[in-house]
Amino acid sequence: MGELVFIGLGLFDERDLSWRALDEAHACDVLFAEFYTSALRGTTVERLAGRIGKPIAVLHREDVESGVVFLREAATKRVGFLVPGDPMMATTHVDLRLRAEAAGIRTRIVHGSSIFTAAIGTLGLQAYKFGRTTTIPIPERGFRPTSPLDAIRANRAQGLHTLVLLDLREDGRFLSANEAIRYLLDLGGDTFPPETLVCAVGGAGSPNPVVRADRAARLVDADLGPPLHCLVVPGALHYMERAALLRLAGAPADALPPA
Amino acid sequence: MGELVFIGLGLFDERDLSWRALDEAHACDVLFAEFYTSALRGTTVERLAGRIGKPIAVLHREDVESGVVFLREAATKRVGFLVPGDPMMATTHVDLRLRAEAAGIRTRIVHGSSIFTAAIGTLGLQAYKFGRTTTIPIPERGFRPTSPLDAIRANRAQGLHTLVLLDLREDGRFLSANEAIRYLLDLGGDTFPPETLVCAVGGAGSPNPVVRADRAARLVDADLGPPLHCLVVPGALHYMERAALLRLAGAPADALPPA
């Protein structure tokens, strides 16, 4: 009987795999990976395969979504599916897991570090003060949903922060924090005026993450280092969060609301 | 010049450390650890020290909070601070980091896997449908705050799920999911009646996590395996989340709201 093991790769490069992830991946008969829900910017598939000691077949979005190759291979083999971050943060992973279980294939998860907590911790903000997370898509053909602003508005009404993840594409395109701030400024009106305090994290999990907090009007043009980026739009700040943004994120005092 | 490196240990045992975490810990002059904000249930300090190849001094809460030993050692040495999960999810870590930076000590974070994403993924729920996280304390001397119910109510009003973390103590005591459900039932009134759908995760990140979803009145007496536990109180369920709770968490159909 086969098995499908979802293995989290963590944030940045092949050194972010846990020992458990390496052992589990090495023990698989077949390894697949996807890099379209997120990406490891600090390594290559070849280096990852070298570290694990097994070849890795990278799948396109349509192959992951159809699930055919997984269900066929995992019917008789132990299949490892390597995904950036912590598995199951993308709906498509859950969908695949459910289809495998429905086909009688056992599934397991090996966890990895994730931007969901890394962004919060890198900024020194408090995890229990975050409301729901939102994502800004890469705008195309006039598709510019207001859902990110809706999330920011609803969270802020409760004094909560919003983690804003930024879309990326299989072809290597990604939305930068600068583009994302521009998106919010263009659509934002009263919800996101130019003086809005925004935090940006670039290269979370890398040896030199870029961490900034400033008014949107200033951060929109700032150099936030190589991708991937994400944003946090703060709600009410605890005094320790204020101190963290001043010290860790280089926030100018005039960008913060009065204490 | 010294340095203070916060190193995430991940969820369960010494195999959850990333290669980066092992390298970074090994490169430190001095290693401290704390196990009161969370715990690694699958290992011991000795095994952890053996894997890293360096001795580890476990600090009590008061030593972490005072910060004296860190600031003294990190003034001249590279100090590693090993913490369960992903660092900085506990306010006390942020406080320590800020004091180190204020003293001119460079700080860095090495990320680890965290219950914040592991609980969500293990249940097959969708990360962007979670509102703010709350914690249930170990009740004592009549201290039974209603803040967990306030969070559940506010999240549910927006259709959002609530991750409920459970307190633990330095002496090894921990709040079980059963006790936590009892806590919510006792205080809950209309917000948390006995038929409330609750999800419980035990041993997240271990080889055999226990994953259950059922009415509170039934789950309160269920065997949820060895600690640590946490809860999720769902808001509105997407059809794929319904399917996940039925298949992955063994939810009886009568425990779920009508589709």
Side-chain angles (χ1 to χ4, degrees):
Chain A
M1 197 58 215
E3 190 172 27
L4 178 55
V5 189
F6 294 84
I7 301 174
L9 297 174
L11 288 160
F12 183 66
D13 67 21
E14 71 278 5
R15 297 171 67 209
D16 287 315
L17 269 79
S18 68
W19 204 287
R20 184 186 304 278
L22 280 167
D23 282 354
E24 289 272 9
H26 188 74
C28 286
D29 301 311
V30 187
L31 289 178
F32 297 110
E34 64 87 358
F35 297 102
Y36 70 86
T37 64
S38 188
L40 298 194
R41 299 291 300 192
T43 190
T44 62
V45 179
E46 290 71 27
R47 271 160 57 194
L48 201 53
R51 176 62 68 107
I52 293 169
K54 297 242 166 161
I56 299 169
V58 178
L59 296 181
H60 293 294
R61 177 191 287 263
E62 60 195 29
D63 294 321
V64 175
E65 290 181 353
S66 89
V68 172
V69 60
F70 287 103
L71 300 183
R72 186 182 59 219
E73 296 282 328
T76 56
K77 298 177 191 156
R78 186 185 290 188
V79 175
F81 185 24
L82 307 171
V83 303
D86 193 23
M88 304 298 151
M89 295 301 100
T91 308
T92 188
H93 302 157
V94 180
D95 184 42
L96 177 60
R97 185 175 182 209
L98 289 174
R99 283 193 285 166
E101 292 272 345
I105 297 163
R106 189 184 172 215
T107 63
R108 289 186 292 121
I109 303 173
V110 179
H111 294 286
S113 51
S114 167
I115 191 64
F116 280 85
T117 55
I120 297 169
T122 302
L123 286 161
L125 297 174
Q126 296 177 5
Y128 69 91
K129 290 193 60 194
F130 277 72
R132 59 175 283 244
T133 298
T134 188
T135 299
I136 299 183
I138 294 176
E140 64 176 351
R141 292 191 295 272
F143 177 65
R144 301 210 304 174
T146 59
S147 51
L149 285 165
D150 301 337
I152 290 167
R153 196 184 298 114
N155 287 336
R156 192 190 277 155
Q158 302 172 83
L160 301 176
H161 314 321
T162 306
L163 173 62
V164 184
L165 300 178
L166 308 185
D167 205 9
L168 69 168
R169 286 289 165 72
E170 213 159 4
D171 62 10
R173 259 201 309 161
F174 57 87
L175 197 70
S176 73
N178 310 90
E179 292 170 303
I181 294 169
R182 172 58 58 206
Y183 183 107
L184 294 172
L185 284 168
D186 286 351
L187 286 184
D190 291 345
T191 301
F192 201 88
E195 62 271 24
T196 306
L197 173 63
V198 187
C199 311
V201 176
S206 75
N208 293 297
V210 174
V211 187
R212 292 287 304 277
D214 204 340
R215 295 181 180 187
R218 292 194 287 239
L219 216 53
V220 71
D221 295 318
D223 177 5
L224 300 167
L228 303 177
H229 297 164
C230 67
L231 300 178
V232 169
V233 182
L237 292 172
H238 181 268
Y239 75 92
M240 203 184 295
E241 296 182 310
R242 271 182 76 86
L245 294 187
L246 288 165
R247 187 169 291 278
L248 306 175
D254 74 351
L256 299 182
Chain B
M1 197 56 216
E3 190 171 28
L4 177 55
V5 189
F6 293 84
I7 301 174
L9 297 173
L11 287 161
F12 183 67
D13 68 20
E14 72 278 5
R15 297 171 67 208
D16 287 315
L17 270 80
S18 68
W19 204 288
R20 184 186 304 279
L22 280 167
D23 282 354
E24 288 272 10
H26 187 76
C28 285
D29 301 311
V30 187
L31 290 178
F32 298 109
E34 65 86 357
F35 296 102
Y36 71 86
T37 65
S38 188
L40 297 194
R41 298 290 301 193
T43 192
T44 62
V45 179
E46 291 71 27
R47 272 159 58 192
L48 201 54
R51 178 60 68 106
I52 293 169
K54 296 241 167 161
I56 299 169
V58 178
L59 295 181
H60 293 294
R61 178 191 286 263
E62 60 196 28
D63 294 322
V64 175
E65 291 182 352
S66 88
V68 172
V69 60
F70 288 103
L71 301 183
R72 186 183 60 219
E73 295 283 329
T76 56
K77 298 177 190 154
R78 184 185 291 189
V79 174
F81 185 24
L82 307 171
V83 304
D86 193 23
M88 303 297 151
M89 294 301 101
T91 308
T92 189
H93 301 157
V94 181
D95 183 43
L96 178 60
R97 185 175 183 209
L98 290 173
R99 283 193 286 166
E101 291 272 346
I105 296 164
R106 189 183 172 217
T107 63
R108 290 186 293 120
I109 303 173
V110 179
H111 294 286
S113 52
S114 167
I115 191 65
F116 280 85
T117 55
I120 296 170
T122 301
L123 286 161
L125 297 174
Q126 295 177 6
Y128 70 90
K129 291 193 60 195
F130 277 72
R132 58 175 284 244
T133 298
T134 188
T135 299
I136 299 184
I138 295 177
E140 63 175 350
R141 292 192 293 272
F143 176 65
R144 302 210 304 174
T146 60
S147 51
L149 285 165
D150 300 338
I152 291 167
R153 196 184 298 113
N155 288 336
R156 192 190 279 156
Q158 301 171 84
L160 301 176
H161 314 321
T162 306
L163 173 62
V164 184
L165 301 178
L166 308 185
D167 205 7
L168 69 168
R169 287 289 164 71
E170 212 160 2
D171 62 11
R173 261 202 305 162
F174 57 87
L175 197 70
S176 72
N178 311 89
E179 293 171 304
I181 294 168
R182 172 58 57 205
Y183 184 106
L184 295 172
L185 285 169
D186 285 350
L187 286 184
D190 291 345
T191 302
F192 202 88
E195 61 271 24
T196 305
L197 174 63
V198 187
C199 311
V201 177
S206 77
N208 294 297
V210 175
V211 187
R212 292 286 305 276
D214 204 340
R215 294 182 180 187
R218 291 194 287 239
L219 216 52
V220 71
D221 294 319
D223 178 5
L224 300 167
L228 303 176
H229 297 164
C230 68
L231 301 178
V232 169
V233 183
L237 291 172
H238 182 268
Y239 76 92
M240 201 186 295
E241 296 182 310
R242 273 183 74 86
L245 295 186
L246 288 165
R247 188 170 287 281
L248 306 175
D254 74 350
L256 299 181

